Amino acid sequence: GNSVTQMEGPVTLSEEAFLTINCTYTATGYPSLFWYVQYPGEGLQLLLKATKADDKGSNKGFEATYRKETTSFHLEKGSVQVSDSAVYFCALSDPRTSGTYKYIFGTGTRLKVLA
Amino acid sequence: EAGVAQSPRYKIIEKRQSVAFWCNPISGHATLYWYQQILGQGPKLLIQFQNNGVVDDSQLPKDRFSAERLKGVDSTLKIQPAKLEDSAVYLCASSPQGLAAYNEQFFGPGTRLTVL
């Protein structure tokens, strides 16, 4: 079945450091890929998305490229801020295979940015 | 635009008791999801509604969990009787019909359930 694997956290960085959070997926079809962010005490918010191979999603300085050849969707940011401290979830949706639009989530990666 | 509303935000119960959670999706959103997020794990879909019909409940423990979405708007999720392993955050999400390519889901703040 479909699955998502994320790097384990927590990830601790200094402000202005470069961020990479790895995400790889297994899917039998052609999934859409998402990154969601969960700030303390809040619900999940969509950060960015990509629906086909080589698409690049971007938002708030974060980027991720849909790489079909490596089945990856790594999240990157050139210079993190303290306010980026949160839990980041990679997810896929594969309606052509599953018949529904449900998400399959990774386990989440906690990011802590130090001033 | 108002977001997805959930209540209560927190609930503590004893095992074998029953509990109910409520969700009000974004106005006009046809699809509603309930997810269970156990500490340290990603959210797992419990049930998906399209209007007031169930689309997917394959991972819902039907011996103790039930959900309904009357009139295709609000939804309630019930656990009866609760077990210790039900301790989790229960997330409700909604999405508009027709956005097949992106299928963005909008999440509520969640209800944190602790079963003692």
Side-chain angles (χ1 to χ4, degrees), chain A residues 1-5 23-28 33 71 92 104-106:
Chain A
N2 295 346
S3 66
V4 174
T5 302
C23 171
T24 57
Y25 68 90
T26 301
T28 53
L33 301 173
T71 62
L92 70 79
I104 306 295
F105 282 92

Side-chain angles (χ1 to χ4, degrees), chain A residues 7 10 19 33 38-39 41 44 52 59 64 79-80 83 95 98-99 114:
Chain A
M7 63 185 289
L19 169 71
L33 301 173
Q38 189 173 33
Y39 298 103
L44 279 75
K52 60 184 187 296
N59 185 26
S79 176
V80 293
S83 57
S98 67
L114 304 176

Side-chain angles (χ1 to χ4, degrees), chain A residues 64-110:
Chain A
T65 301
Y66 189 161
R67 302 284 189 200
K68 188 170 175 62
E69 64 276 14
T70 55
T71 62
S72 65
F73 193 54
H74 304 324
L75 182 68
E76 297 182 335
K77 186 175 186 182
S79 176
V80 293
Q81 305 300 313
V82 173
S83 57
D84 294 326
S85 298
V87 181
Y88 292 82
F89 291 92
C90 186
L92 70 79
S93 175
D94 187 11
R96 293 185 211 180
T97 299
S98 67
T100 75
Y101 294 112
K102 68 180 179 184
Y103 284 174
I104 306 295
F105 282 92
T107 55
T109 303
R110 182 175 299 277

Side-chain angles (χ1 to χ4, degrees), chain B residues 54-93:
Chain B
V54 175
V55 174
D56 185 346
D57 64 356
S58 57
Q59 297 191 86
L60 185 74
K62 299 181 185 63
D63 58 333
R64 297 184 300 105
F65 286 66
S66 64
E68 60 182 8
R69 189 182 185 197
L70 299 177
K71 301 180 181 179
V73 182
D74 293 7
S75 178
T76 56
L77 175 70
K78 297 179 181 178
I79 308 175
Q80 182 178 14
K83 293 184 175 181
L84 296 177
E85 59 261 36
D86 298 332
S87 294
V89 176
Y90 291 84
L91 298 168
C92 180

